[in-house]
Amino acid sequence: MEQALNTGNSLYDPDMGAGNGNRNMTDLAGFLSLQTIDGKNNTFSISKEAYSDTSNVVGKTVSLDLKGIIDWTDLALEKLEKVYEECLDANWDGYGAMPISRETYSKARKLLRMIPSSLPRPDISAEPDGEITFEWYKEKYSVFVISVGGNNLITYAGMFGKSNKIHGTEYFANELPEIIRHCIRRLSH
Amino acid sequence: MSSMKLQDMTSPLECLARFILQKKWYRADKTIRHNAFMPNQNGEVSVYRTKSLTCQQINEIGRLHVAEIQNKKLLGRAEIVVSSILKQDLKIEADPEPHPRHANIIGWPTDKSKRKMIAIELAAEAQLHLINNP
């Protein structure tokens, strides 16, 4: 429950809090609902992917309403932080990779928060040039990958079957570019 | 040894090994991620020719000449056939340091999204061989 409120921001960074403002509302709603779980309100949104259909709160087991979209943002942010920490030093891959910079981490957080939780959660990794990668994977020949560095550019590439390929670069400011949204949706259908 | 010479010597069906030192390069379903084949800052992907070698011998090269030098554990290798690389208009250049079988995949496009696209395709065609580390 504490994790839903913990943004993990130890330093102020304007990009860290940017993105989809609804996320903060979701977290807050979850928190407030949890506070009243012992009372009448036992239906609320769950902000973690790891959950169960019952919860033991102050000694009582209550049923939770699991309908609707599960917000995976907190889980993804935790994974992002882990990847960042693992790739802080140069040569993290054993082949001379560049370290992930604080700025790249910050942009990746911003970008992650722009991805609607109605879309599947990406796998998070890193590339040798120090960019952070989000991957949506269905099968060997159905995969979509985006990466972000210290600027506001997304580099993307994807395969939707052996013969359907797409790649390019998109600028992002305050919302996820439509082409990226479209490709993620295309993969999940 | 020039890239031409190496290509002359290799069959399109010959395998090359990309040694894996980190879990970020493969997925839980034992498929390989594109970042295993993304070139480094010098525009190279380091590989080893595996022709006529047993799995044990291949892994030994990876352990001695790749992993231990970097103080890392060898997790496995991604094997890819030469034809998959040549099909992408990439070249294979012999680079006999640190080992006579060492080579680099070169000739990557300057546009990063194209490099990413190629890396995705190479990863999809490569086979993962993990080592059962204790």
Side-chain angles (χ1 to χ4, degrees):
Chain A
M1 278 182 278
E2 286 176 1
Q3 286 173 317
L5 290 174
N6 181 8
T7 62
N9 295 345
S10 53
L11 296 170
Y12 172 74
D13 186 328
D15 284 339
M16 298 280 186
N20 187 346
N22 291 335
R23 286 287 155 72
N24 293 334
M25 291 303 291
T26 305
D27 289 351
L28 183 61
F31 173 72
L32 293 174
S33 300
L34 285 166
Q35 295 309 296
T36 57
I37 197 165
D38 208 24
K40 290 178 183 177
N41 183 3
N42 63 355
T43 301
F44 54 94
S45 63
I46 296 172
S47 61
K48 308 298 292 180
E49 197 169 70
Y51 62 90
S52 64
D53 59 354
T54 59
S55 177
N56 195 322
V57 181
V58 286
K60 295 180 182 178
T61 300
V62 294
S63 296
L64 309 181
D65 182 0
L66 299 180
K67 289 173 187 170
I69 296 162
I70 296 165
D71 188 346
W72 43 256
T73 312
D74 288 346
L75 197 67
L77 286 170
E78 280 175 25
K79 171 70 179 173
L80 175 61
E81 191 175 354
K82 193 178 168 210
V83 169
Y84 171 54
E85 286 169 358
E86 286 170 353
C87 304
L88 271 174
D89 297 322
N91 195 34
W92 48 264
D93 66 348
Y95 287 97
M98 305 270 286
I100 295 177
S101 68
R102 177 82 191 169
E103 200 164 18
T104 292
Y105 173 60
S106 165
K107 296 293 181 195
R109 276 187 72 104
K110 179 182 175 182
L111 181 58
L112 192 58
R113 285 174 173 273
M114 287 178 188
I115 302 169
S117 51
S118 56
L119 295 175
R121 176 166 65 99
D123 285 322
I124 301 169
S125 187
E127 289 185 358
D129 60 359
E131 291 203 345
I132 291 174
T133 301
F134 300 156
E135 179 195 74
W136 289 265
Y137 169 79
K138 192 173 182 182
E139 56 186 4
K140 256 189 169 187
Y141 294 96
S142 293
V143 57
F144 182 64
V145 177
I146 67 176
S147 69
V148 64
N151 49 29
N152 280 62
L153 286 177
I154 299 171
T155 306
Y156 65 91
M159 275 177 100
F160 307 92
K162 279 188 178 180
S163 53
N164 291 317
K165 300 167 200 170
I166 188 170
H167 64 86
T169 305
E170 281 285 324
Y171 175 82
F172 75 100
N174 294 314
E175 60 181 33
L176 192 67
E178 186 50 42
I179 182 74
I180 305 296
R181 201 182 289 252
H182 170 77
C183 287
I184 300 168
R185 277 204 206 101
R186 186 175 175 187
L187 197 71
S188 49
H189 286 159
Chain B
M1 194 184 297
S2 73
S3 58
M4 269 317 290
K5 272 186 183 170
L6 181 69
Q7 286 185 32
D8 286 346
M9 288 165 56
T10 54
S11 145
L13 294 178
E14 184 180 331
C15 273
L16 300 174
R18 172 76 162 158
F19 290 111
I20 297 174
L21 309 180
Q22 49 154 329
K23 291 182 178 174
K24 287 185 190 66
W25 280 9
Y26 59 90
R27 306 182 187 93
D29 69 352
K30 308 282 188 278
T31 53
I32 299 156
R33 290 186 200 275
H34 81 287
N35 37 12
F37 285 99
M38 284 298 282
N40 63 16
Q41 294 304 297
N42 300 322
E44 298 167 341
V45 171
S46 169
V47 290
Y48 284 78
R49 297 180 63 191
T50 62
K51 193 177 179 181
S52 310
L53 296 180
T54 64
C55 281
Q56 204 172 3
Q57 289 170 324
I58 297 169
N59 290 339
E60 201 57 19
I61 292 174
R63 217 174 259 122
L64 291 175
H65 298 281
V66 182
E68 284 184 7
I69 291 170
Q70 302 293 338
N71 273 332
K72 292 181 189 287
K73 188 182 269 188
L74 182 67
L75 302 179
R77 65 187 191 274
E79 282 205 350
I80 188 155
V81 290
V82 167
S83 62
S84 297
I85 294 162
L86 300 181
K87 196 170 69 182
Q88 299 290 346
D89 287 332
L90 299 172
K91 293 172 185 163
I92 304 156
E93 185 180 63
D95 179 18
E97 286 295 325
H99 189 278
R101 285 179 176 265
H102 181 245
N104 288 312
I105 303 173
I106 59 168
W108 292 83
T110 50
D111 176 40
K112 183 169 177 183
S113 72
K114 283 185 190 166
R115 294 200 299 273
K116 204 188 289 285
M117 188 72 253
I118 292 172
I120 288 173
E121 293 186 72
L122 294 181
E125 294 187 7
Q127 296 290 324
L128 180 66
H129 299 265
L130 289 177
I131 294 172
N132 292 322
N133 284 308

